[in-house]
Amino acid sequence: MLPVLLLLLGCDGGPSDVTVIRDVQIVHAGVDVPVAVPGLSQRYTLTVADPTGGGVELLAWACTGFDGECAEAAFVAPAERMVVVDAVDQGDFSEDADLDLTVPAELALLAGADTGLPFDPFAGVWFLACEPGLCPWIRQARDALAAGAIDAELEAFLGDPTAALDQVPADGSSLAQRRLPLATDDGAEPNANPELRVAGDPVLAVQTGAEVPLTFEWIDEEPGSIELQAFTTVGAMGPPTAVFDDPEITWFAGEEAGAGRLYVVARDASGGSALWRADASVE
Amino acid sequence: MAGILPLILSLAGPSSAAPGADAPGDDAPPTTLPEPVGEATLPVLVRDAAAPYPPDALALGLGADVLLVLDVDADGTVLAAAVASSAVASSSASSSDPEQTLSPELVAAFDAAALQAARSFQFEPARTASGEAVPARIQYRYRFVADRAPPLRIVAVVTAGADGPPLSDVDVVAAGPDGVRQLATTDADGVARFAGLADGDWDIAVQALGLQTATRSISLSPDGVVELTFPMVADAPPPTDDVPGEVITITAEALPPQVTERVLTMDQVRYLPGTGGDVVKAVQNLPGVNRAPLGVAQILIRGTAPEDSKTYIDGMALPIVFHFAGLNTVVNSDSLEEVAFLPGSYGVRYGRTLAGLVDLRTTPSLPQESGGYVSVDLFQATAFHEQRIGDRTAVSMSARRSYVDTILTPVLTELTGSTFQAPRYYDVNARVLHRSANDDVWDAFLVGSSDAFRVIDPDTDEVSIGLTTRFIKLRLLHRHVDDDGWRHESAAIFGIEEEAFQIAPDGDAFERPLDLGLRHELYKAAPDTGFGDGAFGLGLRTGVDVVASRYRFQYEVPSFDTSESGDIGILAPAAYVEPTVRIGRFDLVPGLRADLWSTAPADDSAGWTNLAVDPRFNAAWRFSRKGRLKLGVGKYSQFPDPREVTVTSDGNPDLTHEYALQTGIGWEQRFGEDWSLELNRYYNWLERLVVGNEDAFRFFSGPPPGGELDTGDYENDGTGRSAGIELLLKWQTERTVVFLSNTISHSVRQKRPDQPERLFEYDQPIVLNLLASHEVPTPNRKRKGSWRFGGRFRFGSGNPYDPLVNRWFDLETGEWSPVFSAEQARTPPFYQLDLRVDRSWEFRRWTLSSYLDLQNATNRSNTEVIGYSDDYRTEEPITGLPLVPAFGFKGEW
C-alpha cells in the first residue's frame, strides 16, 4: 500500500515538468461547434507544437470505436473519414492545420438512444502527428487515399491506434483523441466554445530566471466548469492556481536562453475548448 | 575394549581383593587402593564428583555403600561404570537403626546415584612399569553418609516438547568452572539432579540421540536450588504438531532453554541485521519468500500474491502480521514460543488460502520468573513485562509506539513537496496464562494494533491521502491433554478490523470485517517408533473450524470514477481429518479438509454458497538419524472476495473457488553438530483464479498490476504456475550463526484463455540471503558482557514490469494514457548489505544492551518500483531507502 501512496502523490506549486514540450506534440484540436452532427462535415483546427523545427506530417481520421473497429468504416468513404497533411519544410510549419471530417449519418441512431453504455454516445476523431517518415501509417493512409480503399492492416491501426503505438518512438510522434457529443434533436442550443484571453499585457521577453504570472479571463456558458492546462516550449509553466478567484498560471522562464511559445488550453465540461498562445523569449 | 583386557588380566584381581573406597561424604577422600603389580600403578582418583543423595534416603537419614566396577581409560576418564554389588545399608550411616535394610527402591536409587557420580570421576590413569598410561578396570566403593550429603544444586526436568511426557535415560551435562564436567541421567520422571557443584557459571546441556541438543547457562550462588526445564525437540522428524511437509520453525527465546542447533533462536535472530530484533521478520530471509518491494509489510510466498497467503496466531487468522513498511510484527516476539513458516504442502489444519502461511505460536509455558524490558530505538519505544502470580498463573503486557513519523515526515515532505504524517503505529498485547492443577492451559491473549499514514495538503491543512489499518482481537484458548494422550484444543478469536483509505476531496473507502473464529481440535501424535523398521504407530488430527463474519465495505472515490459498497454476512464452517501412520522410518499423513463458504448480503440480494473439498497427502522417510526425505501433494482452495460474488458490487455470483495444486519434495540433512541443510523442490498449479475488474480498488491488496488493466467482468479465467528450488544451509554454534538462503523460482500467470502467459508481477528468479552473526564475550571478569557483530547481504532479481514505450493524449480531459511494450522487462537487480554491532553489559539485577544497525551500508540506490512522470513521458524509478544508521538501547530485568 505504501508504494502506491507514493505513486499517487502529486506535485507542488512550482514549475511542472509535464508542461514542457520537447518534441512534436498535439496541443489542441479546436472545432467550430463542439457537437458532432451526423451527416455533416466537421472542421477541426489542429495545433501542433514542433519545438525542434524538424517538420511534421499529420493524419486525422474519424473513428467512433467499437471493439477495435471504426463505425465510420462501413458508412463513409476513405476521403471523407481520413485526412493526411504532408510534411512541410523545416521551419515553415504553421502549427495549425484545418482538417475536414464527416460524421456518419448513421450515428444519428445513437444520438439520444439508451445504449446501455457507461458513457454518452459520441463521435470520435484521432489525430497522429509525426516527424516526417517516422510513422508508417501516414504513408499507408496517403496511399489508401490515392487508391480510394483502405487495406486491412491500416484499418486495424485506425480502429485501435494505441495498440500499435509501441512500434514508433515517443519522441517525434504524438497521438491524441477527441470525442464530441452527438447532437440531439431536442431543440436545445448546442454548446459553444469558451473564449479565453490573458488579462493585461504581460511582458514575455524576459531575463533568465524570471517568473511571469499570467491571469486569465474567459467567457463561457458554463464558466464554473472551465479547466486550464498549460504547455510551453521555453521554460516551464506552473499549475493553475486561483488568486481572488482569477485563475493564474505562472510562466517560469528557466535558466536557458531561447525563444518559444506558451500555450494555455481552456476546456468546459461539454466538449467546448479554446486555446491561448503567445510567443516568448528568454535572454 | 580390546586394549583394556591385558590390564584387566594383569591388574585387577578378584572382586574380593578390591575392598572399595570411602565415599566423598566421608572424612577421607575417595581413592582407589593402589595394588602394585611390579612397578605398575592402579588409577588414582584426582577429581571426585558428588552423587545427588536419594531424597527419600536423606529424609530417613539412611546411608549406604555401593560397590562399582569402573573402566578407566588411559586418559583417566571413566569409560564405563557398573554396579558390582548393589547398595547395602552403611554401618557408618547416621540412621538410628544401622542394621536397617534398604527397600528395593532405595537400593536402586543409591545404585543410580553412585553410578552417576562415578561417570564424572577423573583419575590419574593406571601406568605400566615403564610409565605408560593404560586403560584399567577397578572396583570402587561409593559410600553415602546422610549427615554429610552434598547440597542439591540443580534439578533439570527433561520432557518431550513443552507438553509432552518426561524423557528418561537422557544425559544431562554440567560444565563448570576450571573445566569441571559432571554428568547426570534422567530418571523415570525425566529428572536429573546435580549435587555438590561449586558456585560459579555453569553450562547445562541435554543431549540424546534423536533429540536436538539444548543448552542453558546459569550462575550458581550459595542460596537455593536452580530448577531448569528442557522441553526437547526431536532431531529428525518427530512427533510434532506439523505434518512432515515443509515447515521451517523459528523458536522464540520465550521457550525456556531452547538454544538448539537446528532452529534459529530468538537470541540469535534478534541480532541479525535487518530483523530489527523481530523474530517474525526473520521469515522474510528464508527460502521461499520473495523480497517485498520497498521492504513493505508483505510476505510473498513462492511466487504468489500477498493476498494469497495468510497469517495466524495459534492457528486462528490474524488480519495483518506487520506494521507499515514491515518495521515490526504486531505481536510482541517475547510472547511467542515459535514462528512457523509453512510455504506449502501443509496439513489440513489450515485452509482457505492458495499459498503459504505464517503461524505465530504463543508459548504455553509459564515464565520461569517475572521480568521485562524497556527498549528505545530510532523508530519506536517498547515496554514488556511478565509477572508470575502464584505457581500457576502469569500475566504479561506489552506496548509499543512508533515515532518513525517524526523522522520520515521531513524526508518525505522534502522528497515530494507534500506534507506527511507518516507512518505511525502502535500496538498493545495483554495476556493471562493459567496452567491448572491437571496441567490444562487456559490462555487469553489480546492483540490491538493501529497504523496510520497521511499526506496533508499544505494549502488547506486537510488530508490529501490517508490510510488507516487497525484491529483488535481477543484470542481465547484452552488445551487439555487427557490420560490417553489426546490433546483437546478449543480456541476462539473475535474482534473488529478496519482498513480505511481517504483521498481528497471526498474520497472515502473502507473495509470493516467483524469476525468470529472458532476451532475445536482433537490431536494425538503418532508414537515415536524410533528407527525400528517394524514399528507401527498411529496418530490423528481432526477438528472443526468455523468463521462467522460481517463484512462491510465502501469504495467511494469520485476521482476513480467508480464506487461500490456492501454489507455481507459470511458463514464458513470447515471440518478436517488427518491421520498419521508411522511405520518404522516412514510417516504417511493423508488428510481431507472440507470448506463451505456462504454469503448473505444485508440488502437481500442473492447470496452465494460454495463448497471446496481439499485432499492432501504428506510423507516422510527418516533414512537416518540426521536426515529425511519428504514429499507432499495437495489441493488448497481459496474463496473469492465477498464483493467479487455480490451482484450489487459488480460481482459475479457464478464464480467458484480458486485452488492451487501444490506439490513438493524435500531433503533435510544435518552434518555433524553444527551444519544443516534443507533442499526443497516445488511445483504448483493455480487454477480458476478470479480475474477482472482491475479497477482502482485493487491497490487495497498490493501494488496495482502493471501494463493494461483487465477491466472485464469477474471470471474464474485465470491460471498460473509457480515452480522453484529452495536451499537453506545453516552453520550454528554456541556463539555464531551463519545461514545461506537461496530461492530459484519461476512464476507465470495467464489472465484469460485468449491472452498470453506472462511473468507474474512478483516473479523473482533468484533471491539470495547470506546472514551471519558472531558473539565475542568481553574479557572483563568483573562485569560480564559481550560484543556481537552481524551482517546480511541480499541479492534479488528485479520484478517484471511493462516498459513504457509511448503515450497518447486525451484532448477532452487533458490527460495522458500510457502505451506499454508487449515485452516485459525487469527492474535492475537488488543488492544490499546491512551491518550491525551489539554490545551488552550485565549488571547484578539487570542487563543493558545497545546496537547500531547500518541498513544499506553501501548506500546503494536500488530500484524498487517503476513509477512514471505524470505525462507518461518517462519512467521514474522509485528507489529504496539510502543508508539508514539506526541505533537503540534496551534494559532488561
Side-chain angles (χ1 to χ4, degrees):
Chain A
M1 190 68 196
L2 192 58
V4 180
L5 289 178
L6 294 173
L7 290 171
L8 288 172
L9 294 177
C11 58
D12 61 4
S16 170
D17 197 53
V18 300
T19 66
V20 178
I21 297 174
R22 294 180 172 82
D23 51 56
V24 173
Q25 182 174 320
I26 296 170
V27 174
H28 181 242
V31 58
D32 293 342
V33 179
V35 174
V37 182
L40 297 182
S41 176
Q42 199 129 21
R43 167 157 293 197
Y44 292 88
T45 302
L46 191 67
T47 303
V48 182
D50 178 26
T52 62
V56 173
E57 55 184 0
L58 296 174
L59 170 63
W61 67 102
C63 182
T64 304
F66 291 96
D67 290 332
E69 296 180 1
C70 301
E72 287 78 357
F75 308 116
V76 184
E80 294 175 337
R81 57 181 283 231
M82 193 167 63
V83 177
V84 172
V85 176
D86 288 338
V88 296
D89 292 340
Q90 182 173 333
D92 289 344
F93 188 62
S94 69
E95 289 193 335
D96 287 346
D98 292 331
L99 310 162
D100 292 318
L101 296 166
T102 299
V103 180
E106 288 75 7
L107 289 186
L109 296 174
L110 295 177
D114 182 7
T115 61
L117 298 172
F119 47 80
D120 292 330
F122 64 88
V125 180
W126 285 99
F127 307 95
L128 176 66
C130 297
E131 291 175 356
L134 184 66
C135 300
W137 311 286
I138 296 179
R139 177 185 50 75
Q140 293 170 13
R142 193 180 299 115
D143 295 344
L145 288 173
I150 300 176
D151 64 23
E153 182 184 355
L154 179 60
E155 196 69 78
F157 169 77
L158 299 179
D160 187 7
T162 63
L165 214 56
D166 61 347
Q167 299 175 28
V168 295
D171 291 347
S173 66
S174 177
L175 178 71
Q177 186 194 36
R178 284 219 63 175
R179 298 179 303 280
L180 291 182
L182 288 174
T184 58
D185 54 2
D186 58 4
E189 194 68 23
N191 183 36
N193 288 318
E195 292 180 27
L196 177 69
R197 58 177 177 252
V198 69
D201 188 15
V203 175
L204 299 179
V206 299
Q207 301 292 315
T208 56
E211 297 181 12
V212 182
L214 303 170
T215 302
F216 288 90
E217 303 168 338
W218 58 68
I219 300 172
D220 190 64
E221 297 167 349
E222 305 173 70
S225 70
I226 290 289
E227 291 184 353
L228 300 182
Q229 186 173 28
F231 301 99
T232 182
T233 58
V234 55
M237 307 291 277
T241 57
V243 180
F244 299 110
D245 292 333
D246 291 328
E248 182 177 287
I249 297 176
T250 299
W251 172 48
F252 298 88
E255 301 302 324
E256 292 184 11
R261 186 162 289 185
L262 312 183
Y263 304 88
V264 174
V265 178
R267 298 186 188 88
D268 66 22
S270 303
S273 69
L275 174 69
W276 171 87
R277 63 182 164 190
D279 291 333
S281 61
V282 180
E283 295 177 354
Chain B
M1 293 298 282
I4 207 169
L5 289 176
L7 276 173
I8 292 175
L9 295 175
S10 61
L11 297 180
S15 62
S16 59
D22 293 332
D26 210 339
D27 290 335
T31 57
T32 55
L33 294 179
E35 189 177 347
V37 178
E39 296 297 323
T41 59
L42 285 170
V44 176
L45 185 65
V46 294
R47 190 167 67 214
D48 64 356
Y53 217 99
D56 292 343
L58 188 61
L60 296 170
L62 296 177
D65 286 349
V66 181
L67 187 62
L68 304 172
V69 175
L70 308 180
D71 286 343
V72 181
D73 204 359
D75 63 359
T77 58
V78 176
L79 285 175
V83 175
S85 177
S86 286
V88 295
S90 166
S91 58
S92 62
S94 59
S95 167
S96 57
D97 180 7
E99 301 305 320
Q100 181 177 354
T101 57
L102 302 176
S103 68
E105 292 76 16
L106 285 177
V107 169
F110 277 122
D111 287 354
L115 284 174
Q116 172 181 322
R119 290 164 64 194
S120 301
F121 286 171
Q122 179 66 40
F123 288 87
E124 172 62 27
R127 295 188 183 278
T128 63
S130 63
E132 181 188 0
V134 290
R137 173 169 289 173
I138 62 171
Q139 289 193 339
Y140 185 95
R141 188 179 305 283
Y142 199 102
R143 173 162 295 174
F144 292 86
V145 181
D147 55 8
R148 297 190 182 188
L152 186 63
R153 306 305 307 271
I154 298 174
V155 175
V157 181
V158 181
T159 60
D163 297 324
L167 296 177
S168 60
D169 295 324
V170 174
D171 286 341
V172 182
V173 179
D178 303 323
V180 174
R181 189 171 178 276
Q182 290 210 18
L183 180 68
T185 305
T186 58
D187 59 18
D189 295 325
V191 177
R193 297 178 177 83
F194 292 91
L197 301 184
D199 291 343
D201 295 334
W202 290 81
D203 292 326
I204 314 301
V206 181
Q207 296 171 311
L209 285 177
L211 295 176
Q212 299 173 11
T213 298
T215 62
R216 193 165 185 203
S217 298
I218 60 171
S219 183
L220 288 179
S221 56
D223 49 329
V225 177
V226 175
E227 296 184 3
L228 302 173
T229 56
F230 290 85
M232 301 300 289
V233 179
D235 192 1
T240 70
D241 273 10
D242 297 311
V243 297
E246 298 158 60
V247 182
I248 296 171
T249 303
I250 300 170
T251 300
E253 183 185 41
L255 187 63
Q258 294 284 35
V259 184
T260 62
E261 294 182 355
R262 287 196 65 203
V263 297
L264 284 177
T265 68
M266 182 60 194
D267 247 354
Q268 286 154 327
V269 169
R270 169 175 294 152
Y271 300 110
L272 291 178
T275 65
D278 192 315
V279 65
V280 185
K281 287 197 71 177
V283 168
Q284 292 181 313
N285 296 307
L286 293 175
V289 181
N290 288 11
R291 199 184 59 79
L294 288 170
V296 295
Q298 295 173 332
I299 299 180
L300 312 175
I301 300 176
R302 289 188 171 173
T304 58
E307 59 267 30
D308 294 334
S309 298
K310 281 191 168 54
T311 54
Y312 296 83
I313 181 166
D314 296 317
M316 310 302 287
L318 202 61
I320 59 171
V321 67
F322 290 120
H323 288 295
F324 275 155
L327 288 175
N328 268 102
T329 310
V330 295
V331 177
N332 191 301
S333 291
D334 293 271
S335 297
L336 301 178
E337 179 187 47
E338 61 187 21
V339 176
F341 169 55
L342 296 91
S345 297
Y346 42 86
V348 296
R349 177 177 162 90
Y350 304 97
R352 308 185 188 107
T353 184
L354 277 182
L357 58 94
V358 175
D359 192 5
L360 314 180
R361 296 172 179 169
T362 56
T363 174
S365 305
L366 296 170
Q368 294 280 334
E369 53 192 14
S370 300
Y373 64 80
V374 171
S375 72
V376 177
D377 63 29
L378 193 64
F379 304 114
Q380 62 187 12
T382 307
F384 172 82
H385 184 76
E386 57 186 0
Q387 182 72 43
R388 284 288 292 258
I389 300 176
D391 292 337
R392 302 193 175 281
T393 306
V395 297
S396 63
M397 290 200 66
S398 72
R400 179 161 40 205
R401 173 64 162 89
S402 79
Y403 33 79
V404 65
D405 48 338
T406 61
I407 297 163
L408 278 184
T409 292
V411 175
L412 292 175
T413 300
E414 176 68 22
L415 191 69
T416 66
S418 299
T419 303
F420 280 83
Q421 284 183 358
R424 72 107 185 97
Y425 59 80
Y426 61 81
D427 61 59
V428 292
N429 296 177
R431 187 179 190 202
V432 179
L433 176 63
H434 175 75
R435 299 204 67 140
S436 61
N438 63 353
D439 217 26
D440 278 15
V441 174
W442 298 86
D443 188 0
F445 195 104
L446 182 75
V447 186
S449 171
S450 175
D451 290 44
F453 179 93
R454 290 188 177 89
V455 183
I456 307 298
D457 185 328
D459 295 329
T460 64
D461 224 21
E462 294 181 347
V463 175
S464 297
I465 297 174
L467 175 68
T468 304
T469 303
R470 56 190 173 187
F471 74 88
I472 185 163
K473 297 276 183 181
L474 174 64
R475 196 273 283 122
L476 302 172
L477 176 73
H478 173 238
R479 194 177 286 153
H480 167 73
V481 179
D482 65 22
D483 294 339
D484 295 324
W486 287 94
R487 190 184 71 189
H488 304 252
E489 183 179 279
S490 302
I493 191 165
F494 175 77
I496 190 166
E497 55 197 88
E498 178 187 62
E499 185 171 14
F501 176 64
Q502 293 172 275
I503 185 166
D506 49 5
D508 188 13
F510 64 79
E511 294 177 352
R512 286 189 193 127
L514 175 65
D515 290 336
L516 169 66
L518 300 169
R519 177 192 298 276
H520 183 76
E521 184 178 278
L522 200 57
Y523 172 69
K524 185 174 185 179
D528 187 0
T529 54
F531 284 78
D533 287 336
F536 177 81
L538 191 62
L540 181 68
R541 181 196 301 276
T542 183
V544 292
D545 166 9
V546 180
V547 172
S549 177
R550 181 184 177 189
Y551 180 78
R552 288 176 294 163
F553 65 94
Q554 173 183 298
Y555 307 108
E556 293 287 351
V557 184
S559 56
F560 291 170
D561 205 27
T562 182
S563 66
E564 294 177 14
S565 63
D567 185 351
I568 303 171
I570 300 169
L571 182 63
Y576 54 88
V577 60
E578 185 178 74
T580 299
V581 180
R582 180 163 288 161
I583 306 171
R585 301 182 178 204
F586 291 91
D587 291 339
L588 308 175
V589 188
L592 188 69
R593 180 184 173 98
D595 276 281
L596 187 69
W597 185 273
S598 181
T599 68
D603 60 5
D604 294 332
S605 58
W608 184 83
T609 300
N610 197 247
L611 175 69
V613 178
D614 291 354
R616 300 172 191 175
F617 176 75
N618 281 275
W621 173 43
R622 288 171 284 169
F623 58 83
S624 78
R625 293 190 182 277
K626 292 191 174 184
R628 70 167 178 166
L629 297 175
K630 56 193 179 178
L631 67 85
V633 58
K635 178 171 173 262
Y636 297 78
S637 299
Q638 178 169 289
F639 295 97
D641 189 277
R643 71 188 181 99
E644 293 174 340
V645 294
T646 303
V647 175
T648 51
S649 55
D650 289 337
N652 178 2
D654 294 329
L655 292 181
T656 186
H657 59 272
E658 308 171 315
Y659 72 88
L661 178 62
Q662 297 187 4
T663 63
I665 57 174
W667 171 38
E668 295 176 0
Q669 186 70 49
R670 291 194 60 198
F671 303 97
E673 294 300 312
D674 303 330
W675 289 89
S676 66
L677 170 74
E678 295 184 21
L679 191 62
N680 293 309
R681 174 81 166 95
Y682 70 89
Y683 200 109
N684 299 338
W685 289 263
L686 307 175
E687 301 291 341
R688 301 199 305 226
L689 302 179
V690 176
V691 295
N693 283 8
E694 285 182 344
D695 53 28
F697 305 128
R698 157 97 186 237
F699 66 76
F700 259 90
S701 53
E708 296 294 331
L709 298 180
D710 182 345
T711 57
D713 293 338
Y714 288 125
E715 300 286 355
N716 283 110
D717 281 350
T719 58
R721 290 179 295 119
S722 170
I725 298 173
E726 300 161 350
L727 169 75
L728 178 62
L729 182 63
K730 190 162 61 182
W731 179 59
Q732 189 167 343
T733 66
E734 183 181 355
R735 301 194 185 280
T736 306
V737 59
V738 178
F739 78 81
L740 174 70
S741 153
N742 183 210
T743 305
I744 299 172
S745 65
H746 182 61
S747 182
V748 295
R749 295 288 185 279
Q750 185 176 15
K751 288 182 181 177
R752 306 275 185 179
D754 59 348
Q755 293 183 355
E757 193 173 69
R758 291 167 59 82
L759 293 173
F760 186 49
E761 58 202 271
Y762 296 107
D763 175 61
Q764 294 170 4
I766 300 176
V767 177
L768 184 132
N769 295 292
L770 176 63
L771 295 95
S773 177
H774 178 66
E775 183 188 23
V776 181
T778 54
N780 187 337
R781 298 185 65 84
K782 289 184 178 177
R783 174 162 297 147
K784 292 180 64 180
S786 66
W787 288 92
R788 186 180 286 270
F789 303 93
R792 174 174 72 161
F793 173 73
R794 290 188 290 163
F795 170 82
S797 305
N799 283 324
Y801 78 101
D802 294 89
L804 178 69
V805 291
N806 214 322
R807 56 183 183 157
W808 66 272
F809 188 56
D810 187 332
L811 291 160
E812 300 301 327
T813 63
E815 294 176 350
W816 298 91
S817 294
V819 174
F820 296 108
S821 169
E823 299 294 324
Q824 290 176 287
R826 283 190 188 279
T827 57
F830 172 96
Y831 303 88
Q832 184 163 310
L833 176 67
D834 306 323
L835 299 173
R836 179 173 172 126
V837 180
D838 291 82
R839 175 74 165 94
S840 66
W841 298 266
E842 293 183 20
F843 298 92
R844 183 176 175 80
R845 296 184 179 278
W846 68 294
T847 301
L848 174 66
S849 54
S850 67
Y851 74 88
L852 173 64
D853 198 334
L854 298 177
Q855 296 196 23
N856 193 7
T858 61
N859 198 29
R860 177 179 162 82
S861 179
N862 283 300
T863 298
E864 298 275 19
V865 178
I866 298 295
Y868 307 100
S869 60
D870 286 348
D871 59 356
Y872 288 103
R873 181 180 182 82
T874 56
E875 294 177 348
E876 295 183 346
I878 295 176
T879 56
L881 290 174
L883 168 66
V884 177
F887 59 91
F889 299 91
K890 183 176 184 180
E892 296 174 84
W893 61 86

